[in-house]
Amino acid sequence: MAGILDSVNKRTQLVGQNRLELLLFHLNREQYYGINVFKVREVLRCPEITPIPNAHPWLKGIAHIRGQTVSIIDMNLIINNEPMTDVENGFVIISEFNRSVQGFLVSSVDRIINMNWEDILPPPSGIGSDHYLTAITRFDEKLVEVLDVEKILDIIAPVSTECTIIPIQEQGDNKNNPILVVDDSSVARKQIKSAIEGLGYSCILVKNGREALDVLKKSAEETDLSKRISLVISDIEMPEMDGYTLTSAIRNHPQLKGLTVILHTSLSGVFNQSMIQRVGANAFIPKFNPDELGAAVQAAVNPSSSQGSH
């Protein structure tokens, strides 16, 4: 356990290799759950938690951690509809993503595993939309459920998707061409779609880099130029193919290599700027600020009119 707690913030060398590390944990049951290590700041023994009156029912309360007040979210209550038992002996996973810091209360932390994104699969389509999974995989012949923590956070503290930037009136040749949005989180896809459609652009939504590359290759073959993709907005961490690998594939494709690629990720606290440059992405934007995203989209689609966003 000490090895996990000491090293959880030092695992940053896997980007660009279509690999990730998952921190595995348990709730009240033996089922494995996982969260990307890049979203984890640290893991602590459960600190003293102060309840907050009239707070969201998923919030166990707040804790003071290293000079910061952190909301503590009861993960078992979300996933299994029952509060965490034996809280005093539990752990809190302090996570940082989407420009915020929060703690996830769990029963125990198991280990960190190194995985290939190709082995991380989307949830089965037959389970519907009323779940909190972003992916599944297997470890030690057991199922690992990778939780959609963005969806959980959006339910507790939803963010505005309204873009206040004034749409550019004189649009370039790419104005009517669709923008490809690539993200494994259903919440993130809806947020991005809402923000950029408010500026008058159309979207194509896909769930991972492999689906995106298929769409892009078909786009490159389109004889109708108005149907070709004008811009790619991609998450980094996704099942089957991550955003770095997708960007590299775009840059290595003779007909796609000129596409603008914006990497748009929840990893607001940790990212590798040199890797972003190495794979050839044009910009990096942490989630989720609709005005920042809208400005980047207008600048990419209409570079000669980018000042019109001010």
Side-chain angles (χ1 to χ4, degrees), residues 37 53 56 100 115 128 138 159 165 176 196 239-240 277 291 296:
V37 168
H56 192 285
S100 68
M115 303 287 294
R138 296 193 72 82
V159 298
I165 293 176
N176 295 318
I196 62 181
E240 298 192 80
Q277 296 171 351
D291 285 349

Side-chain angles (χ1 to χ4, degrees), residues 174-195:
N174 285 335
K175 162 65 172 74
N176 295 318
N177 291 52
I179 294 172
L180 183 63
V181 175
V182 193
D183 204 298
D184 62 324
S185 170
S186 60
V187 165
R189 292 194 300 272
K190 290 176 182 176
Q191 289 174 338
I192 299 167
K193 181 175 183 288
S194 176

Side-chain angles (χ1 to χ4, degrees), residues 4 24 38 52 76 80 96 126 133 158 189 193-194 215 221 252 277-278 281:
I4 292 176
L24 300 187
F38 277 158
I52 301 297
N76 198 72
N80 296 320
E96 182 174 4
L133 302 184
R189 292 194 300 272
K193 181 175 183 288
S194 176
V215 169
E221 298 170 357
N252 291 325
Q277 296 171 351
R278 190 187 313 168

